[in-house]
Structure formats: C-alpha cells, structure tokens
Amino acid sequence: MSAPGENGSMIAAIDIGGTKIAGGLVAPDGTLHHRTERPTRRRATDPGEVFATVTEVVADLAADPRWARVDRVGVGSAGPVDIARGTVSPVNIGAWRAFPVVAEVRALPQVAGAPVALGGDAVAMTAAEHWRGAARGFANALCLVVSTGVGAGLVLDGRVYPGPTGNAGHLGHITVDLEGEPCPCGSRGCLERVASGTAIAAWALDQGWRAPAGAPSGATAAAVADSARAGDPIALAAFDRAARALAAGIAATATLVELDVAVLGGGVLRAGELLLAPLRRHLRSYATLPFTRHLAVRAAELGTDAGLIGAAALALD
C-alpha cells in the first residue's frame, strides 16, 4: 500500500450486505474502478466463514495493479454498527454479532494496518449522494434507503453526521403511528413498518390485493407497483400510505435540524413517481413552518454504486 496522502492514491471500498459483499477501488474524485462482489454466506454460523468472503473480495482488489496506490480502506455495512468500537451486528447476517470488522480488515496482509473507516450502509449512501449524487451542493440533507427496511443518514453543515455510534438519522425507527403495530426493534408504529417494501406488500395483501398471475416477483412491492401503474386502487393506496408516512418522517426531521433536501434511494424507488409524487403532495401538509417549506425531494442518482462510493467517502472524511 502507498503512504497516506500520496499523489494518485486510491481508496479500497467494501460494501457488506445480507445478499452480497462488494468491493471496489475508488479514486479521490469518486470514480469507481474494478468492482467485484461475492454472495454473502448469510446462513453460516461461524463468523470467520462470513469474513472469508471479505477476504476474497480484498484479494480480488489487491490483484489489480492500482492496489499499490491504496492508502486507506472504507467499509460500509448493514447494521446496526458501532463505529466507536469498530463492530457490526447486521440483522441479516446472524453469525456476526458485535463482530470486530475494522480490526479484522486492518489485520489482512494486503491492508497491512492502513486506516480503516466504518459506517452503516445508509450513512455510506448518504456520504455518496452528498459527494457525487443528488445531495451534492446541499449543506443539510437527509438521505433515505427505502428497501426491505428503511435506513437513513444525515448531512449537517456540509458534513455527514454519523453520531457517536454511527446510527444518527435512523429514520426507519421513529414512530409515525402511535397505534401502529409492534416493530422488531421493540417500539411500535415505526416508519419502517409502514413505508418499507415489505410493509407496502403486506398492507396491500391485507387489503385484498393479489399479485397478478405470473408476476415474476410474486407478492412484493415491485408487483404492487406494477398493479398501481395499471390503476389498481389498493396498490395505489399502498404507495400513498407509504408516501404519507415518509413525508411525516421527513418533515419531522426537517423541523428538528433544518434540511435543504431529502434524497430517496433503494429498491422501492424503482416505483419512481408512484411514490415520489404523493410524497411531495403529503410533504406540503406536514412541512408547513416557513423554514421547512423550501425542502426539496430528489431521487438518488448513484444506484448500486452508492455503497462503495460512500464507503470511500467515509474513509476520506
């Protein structure tokens, strides 16, 4: 590895999720090079077996000649994370509980003790979108990942704000429905229980919607979106309900910390204006104070590259 700060240096980025573990080499301007990935061994019971996939990804990256210019490593991971301790406990990787991922990555021979930065996946997405994407140029932003769950991160005064443990801005677990159903986190009525892809599909099914025969994705948010595009009233209501909950959460956050923009990404955003149009409409009802009315809503721009670019951004910060 090169000396820190050397001209032409590169950042090694690792993105750890329940489905895949990806890696890439990222230039200081945010350009992603040499992406690689492996499926996550999520059913493994041995923590070392899961980490073996990280080892393989790093070995792939180190085989690239540009690895000689790497001077730091950024890791974005499904959470919860604890950046103070350098540990991760991903909900969807059962073998990792308080797993010391920073120490393990730093100990790899290819890394050779170089600095390793850690962040949650939503915070990494936030860093990426602020650096190279839809939040670029905004001093205060909320970036959300709406997928199987709902994650989020904050940019305040021009910098990503992870909080002491790396979980600041965790919008998915604020309460938006006082009488709502219990959440696995221990609370009830959480935004994630209303607005996630899982919640959209579950609510639609409960209201009598059924996936069209032969739908390739089955009873999922994507299938609900297909039905909504065809004019199905239950499917349209499911997206309106999710959009309203998101608008309430975004408006509450804007009232608390004064935001300029909310950026939304994740798999559910493939629905596009089915979600964004009612979200903007409901936001006008919730963001009513003068200092919140200017709040813009944008779709994320970086797609599946956001995790790696964001991990690199955290390493540079």
Side-chain angles (χ1 to χ4, degrees):
M1 302 185 99
S2 65
E6 183 178 313
N7 290 339
S9 64
M10 302 283 283
I11 307 102
I14 302 169
D15 181 17
I16 299 170
T19 302
K20 61 178 173 55
I21 296 175
L25 301 178
V26 181
D29 67 354
T31 304
L32 176 62
H33 300 278
H34 187 56
R35 179 187 173 98
T36 185
E37 66 178 57
R38 294 280 193 283
T40 304
R41 297 167 183 166
R42 59 186 300 175
R43 291 184 175 84
T45 56
D46 177 8
E49 186 178 346
V50 179
F51 188 73
T53 305
V54 178
T55 302
E56 293 168 7
V57 167
V58 170
D60 273 358
L61 297 179
D64 188 288
R66 288 166 291 194
W67 181 267
R69 292 153 51 195
V70 169
D71 63 17
R72 65 196 71 196
V73 180
V75 179
S77 175
V81 304
D82 188 331
I83 60 173
R85 297 178 180 272
T87 61
V88 298
S89 303
V91 172
N92 48 9
I93 304 178
W96 279 9
R97 290 295 173 265
F99 182 75
V101 68
V102 168
E104 293 290 335
V105 170
R106 189 180 290 131
L108 290 173
Q110 300 94 332
V111 175
V116 177
L118 172 66
D121 51 3
V123 174
M125 176 267 196
T126 300
E129 291 291 337
H130 186 240
W131 185 20
R132 299 273 298 179
R136 189 173 186 176
F138 289 95
N140 301 286
L142 173 69
C143 297
L144 298 96
V145 180
V146 187
S147 186
T148 306
V150 177
L154 287 166
V155 175
L156 300 177
D157 293 330
R159 298 192 66 180
V160 174
Y161 179 74
T165 67
N167 296 287
H170 203 341
L171 197 67
H173 292 287
I174 69 165
T175 297
V176 294
D177 182 358
L178 297 181
E179 305 300 325
E181 58 187 86
C183 179
C185 78
S187 185
R188 66 183 306 129
C190 289
L191 176 61
E192 185 171 291
R193 301 293 287 174
V194 180
S196 68
T198 307
I200 289 169
W203 186 85
L205 285 167
D206 188 60
Q207 299 301 308
W209 169 84
R210 293 295 178 264
S217 54
T220 64
V224 178
D226 289 339
S227 294
R229 291 187 190 96
D232 184 290
I234 295 176
L236 287 165
F239 273 94
D240 185 80
R241 177 176 180 264
R244 185 178 181 185
L246 286 165
I250 291 167
T253 308
T255 303
L256 186 66
V257 298
E258 298 195 45
L259 299 172
D260 303 311
V261 66
V263 174
L264 290 92
V268 175
L269 267 294
R270 296 191 187 101
E273 290 301 310
L274 283 174
L275 183 69
L276 292 174
L279 193 160
R280 293 187 181 101
R281 184 179 73 251
H282 287 302
L283 193 59
R284 289 193 291 271
S285 299
Y286 289 108
T288 58
L289 293 171
F291 62 90
T292 64
R293 291 177 192 157
H294 70 287
L295 180 63
V297 175
R298 292 187 172 187
E301 296 177 358
L302 298 177
T304 57
D305 291 340
L308 291 172
I309 294 172
L314 295 174
L316 283 173
D317 187 5

